[in-house]
Amino acid sequence: MTMKLWYWPEIQGRGEFIRLALEAAGIAYEDCARVSGADALIADLDARKGRAPFAPPYLDIDGFTIAQVADILLYLGDRHDLAPSRIADRYWVHQLQLTIADLVAEVHNVHHPVAVMDYYDDQKPEAARAARQFREERLPKFLDYFEQAAECNDGPWMIDHRWTYADTSLFQLIEGLRYAFPRRMATLTPDYPALARIHGLVADLPGIRQYLASNRRIAFNEQGIFRHYPELDDE
Amino acid sequence: MTMKLWYWPEIQGRGEFIRLALEAAGIAYEDCARVSGADALIADLDARKGRAPFAPPYLDIDGFTIAQVADILLYLGDRHDLAPSRIADRYWVHQLQLTIADLVAEVHNVHHPVAVMDYYDDQKPEAARAARQFREERLPKFLDYFEQAAECNDGPWMIDHRWTYADTSLFQLIEGLRYAFPRRMATLTPDYPALARIHGLVADLPGIRQYLASNRRIAFNEQGIFRHYPELDDE
């Protein structure tokens, strides 16, 4: 039975962390709203009772529904071999995923600091201020952390000697940061060789290479989480 | 071997979700920085290499360290019977925890919308704007969701017929919201009978009753996540 993924059809957004894990693992899935549209996603979500998602993305697997990016990846890791096999490693990969999620939330907060339901245009001065501290303090603090985490592994990946969902998520994080903050990332990138290496290794996984070259990969744009507003970027 | 919990000693903060789960379950732990101080916490964190935490809280269990609230609760749920036993229920309890964590992050964002590293006093106009949308739109949306999640269970708790870490976390969420937004919560509370019931049931668990009456429970204050700034509250 093919998994059904429900997420906004016109952005990478949080759904992209799920798409990448599925594509890297070669798991068949239907990206439902890309076929049937955003209205179908809203209708599907509204119709759900009981153990419903709070928000997309969510996976529907033969009637079992699971939401929240980190929880979906935990599930896929357990069931589809996208996580390391040792128990202690499984908590570590999840811990990394949750820290990536924290950084993603801070990235979103940069362009939506005071009103998550309003437009960026309605909060530009506040966003400029949020962006400054993000670029100068928060972003290097997180990247330092992930670099150090990668360095403590013997192998070339984040954990273990093979890719896990922490690697595909880290790839997306770096992709998104390079898109949103190209000038800042040009300055920072040389300081993080392990992260650049993992980014390259994930880009070269057969499933990811095919995915990135396909029309299934939506281009970054200014409706997603990683948005390029030149006025929010700086060296 | 007694678990060591490392968290800021003068606030409830994110550490409180761990303290409550441990106290409810009667698991012995040492709240290290409450004995040795915040400087000892900073020194402990700085000295860690390898699989280090990004930030407190973290648990040290005989040399195995785990950080991130949701990951710690996942671990405790697996190992110490704070989660339901059915596999599908374990992903559901984790999904609820992650959604509680999203709301906690939005609560923090209300008083720190543009500069997470600066003081509230440096961002009061922005906070007032963030608080308005939080009170009017985001808070009811989240509470509607948790109420509906509680209602879809047969038993009196969030999941199953016994408490899990979703219940202790929900208790803390309601406690914090009532402290930070007393006027808004007075208006909203009658609409959420299931959440009020679970809050009461958790408060009445023997371990929690003892904990709340002890000096181990730190009072809410304006250094934590849930802060009472009257100017940010309204009916």
Side-chain angles (χ1 to χ4, degrees):
Chain A
M1 151 106 205
T2 301
M3 287 188 191
K4 290 178 191 295
L5 171 66
W6 284 98
Y7 192 64
W8 303 111
E10 287 164 5
I11 59 171
Q12 293 187 13
R14 287 187 167 79
E16 199 66 11
F17 295 95
I18 310 304
R19 292 186 182 118
L20 285 165
L22 293 168
E23 296 277 354
I27 297 170
Y29 69 103
E30 188 183 335
D31 201 341
C32 300
R34 293 208 70 194
V35 177
S36 44
D39 287 348
L41 165 57
I42 293 166
D44 183 85
L45 188 56
D46 284 351
R48 287 173 181 272
K49 306 287 174 217
R51 295 185 174 187
F54 180 72
Y58 53 94
L59 271 188
D60 200 321
I61 308 149
D62 210 5
F64 168 67
T65 303
I66 186 165
Q68 282 280 0
V69 169
D71 204 30
I72 296 170
L73 292 174
L74 182 72
Y75 171 85
L76 293 173
D78 289 344
R79 297 309 172 88
H80 292 273
D81 198 28
L82 317 191
S85 49
R86 288 182 55 235
I87 293 293
D89 290 350
R90 288 185 172 234
Y91 294 108
W92 174 237
V93 71
H94 200 56
Q95 187 175 318
L96 289 172
Q97 178 63 43
L98 291 166
T99 310
I100 291 170
D102 285 347
L103 176 50
V104 168
E106 293 201 21
V107 168
H108 189 270
N109 195 60
V110 164
H111 51 74
H112 276 76
V114 289
V116 70
M117 311 293 281
D118 297 348
Y119 292 107
Y120 165 63
D121 279 348
D122 298 328
Q123 46 197 312
K124 287 175 82 165
E126 296 90 344
R129 187 172 164 196
R132 192 163 53 247
Q133 191 171 81
F134 176 78
R135 287 192 313 268
E136 292 172 9
E137 297 187 49
R138 301 299 290 171
L139 180 56
K141 183 175 159 75
F142 274 101
L143 295 181
D144 285 352
Y145 178 75
F146 293 124
E147 180 76 10
Q148 180 273 128
E151 280 173 351
C152 82
N153 187 30
D154 287 338
W157 304 94
M158 284 303 287
I159 304 176
D160 217 331
H161 293 269
R162 45 150 295 185
W163 72 271
T164 66
Y165 65 77
D167 297 287
T168 50
S169 292
L170 189 78
F171 165 83
Q172 178 64 7
L173 189 67
I174 301 293
E175 284 278 291
L177 290 168
R178 287 180 182 175
Y179 172 79
F181 304 98
R183 299 176 66 196
R184 186 63 179 140
M185 287 300 283
T187 302
L188 291 174
T189 295
D191 295 337
Y192 302 105
L195 301 187
R197 181 191 69 230
I198 291 169
H199 175 272
L201 286 169
V202 172
D204 211 36
L205 288 171
I208 297 297
R209 213 166 48 224
Q210 286 170 28
Y211 173 62
L212 296 178
S214 77
N215 61 10
R216 298 195 300 287
R217 173 75 162 184
I218 301 161
F220 283 109
N221 61 52
E222 281 54 67
Q223 280 78 51
I225 290 172
F226 295 104
R227 303 184 184 191
H228 180 49
Y229 296 123
E231 65 274 22
L232 300 184
D233 189 22
D234 201 353
E235 294 176 3
Chain B
M1 150 108 205
T2 302
M3 286 187 192
K4 290 178 190 296
L5 170 67
W6 284 99
Y7 192 66
W8 304 111
E10 286 164 6
I11 59 170
Q12 294 186 13
R14 286 186 168 79
E16 199 66 11
F17 294 95
I18 309 303
R19 293 186 182 118
L20 284 165
L22 293 168
E23 297 276 355
I27 297 169
Y29 70 103
E30 188 182 333
D31 200 342
C32 300
R34 293 209 69 194
V35 177
S36 43
D39 288 347
L41 166 57
I42 294 166
D44 183 85
L45 188 56
D46 285 348
R48 287 173 181 271
K49 306 285 174 219
R51 296 186 173 186
F54 181 73
Y58 53 95
L59 270 189
D60 200 320
I61 308 148
D62 210 5
F64 169 67
T65 304
I66 186 166
Q68 281 279 2
V69 168
D71 205 31
I72 297 171
L73 292 174
L74 182 72
Y75 171 86
L76 293 173
D78 289 344
R79 297 307 172 88
H80 292 275
D81 199 29
L82 318 190
S85 49
R86 287 182 57 236
I87 293 293
D89 291 351
R90 288 184 172 234
Y91 294 108
W92 174 237
V93 71
H94 201 54
Q95 187 176 318
L96 289 172
Q97 179 63 42
L98 291 166
T99 309
I100 290 170
D102 285 346
L103 177 49
V104 168
E106 293 202 21
V107 167
H108 188 269
N109 195 61
V110 164
H111 51 75
H112 276 76
V114 289
V116 70
M117 311 293 282
D118 297 347
Y119 292 108
Y120 165 63
D121 279 348
D122 297 328
Q123 46 197 309
K124 288 176 79 165
E126 296 90 344
R129 187 172 164 196
R132 191 164 56 247
Q133 192 172 82
F134 177 78
R135 289 192 311 267
E136 292 173 8
E137 297 188 48
R138 302 298 291 171
L139 180 56
K141 183 175 160 73
F142 274 100
L143 294 181
D144 284 353
Y145 178 75
F146 293 124
E147 180 77 9
Q148 180 271 131
E151 280 173 351
C152 82
N153 186 29
D154 288 338
W157 304 93
M158 283 303 287
I159 303 176
D160 218 331
H161 292 269
R162 45 150 295 186
W163 73 270
T164 66
Y165 65 77
D167 297 288
T168 50
S169 292
L170 189 78
F171 165 84
Q172 179 64 7
L173 188 67
I174 301 292
E175 284 278 291
L177 290 167
R178 287 179 182 175
Y179 172 77
F181 304 99
R183 298 176 67 197
R184 185 64 179 137
M185 287 299 285
T187 302
L188 290 174
T189 295
D191 294 337
Y192 302 106
L195 302 186
R197 179 191 70 231
I198 291 169
H199 175 272
L201 285 169
V202 172
D204 211 37
L205 289 171
I208 297 296
R209 213 166 48 224
Q210 286 170 30
Y211 173 62
L212 296 177
S214 77
N215 60 11
R216 297 195 301 286
R217 173 76 161 183
I218 301 161
F220 283 109
N221 61 51
E222 280 55 66
Q223 281 78 50
I225 291 171
F226 295 103
R227 303 183 184 192
H228 180 49
Y229 296 124
E231 65 274 22
L232 300 184
D233 189 22
D234 201 352
E235 292 175 6

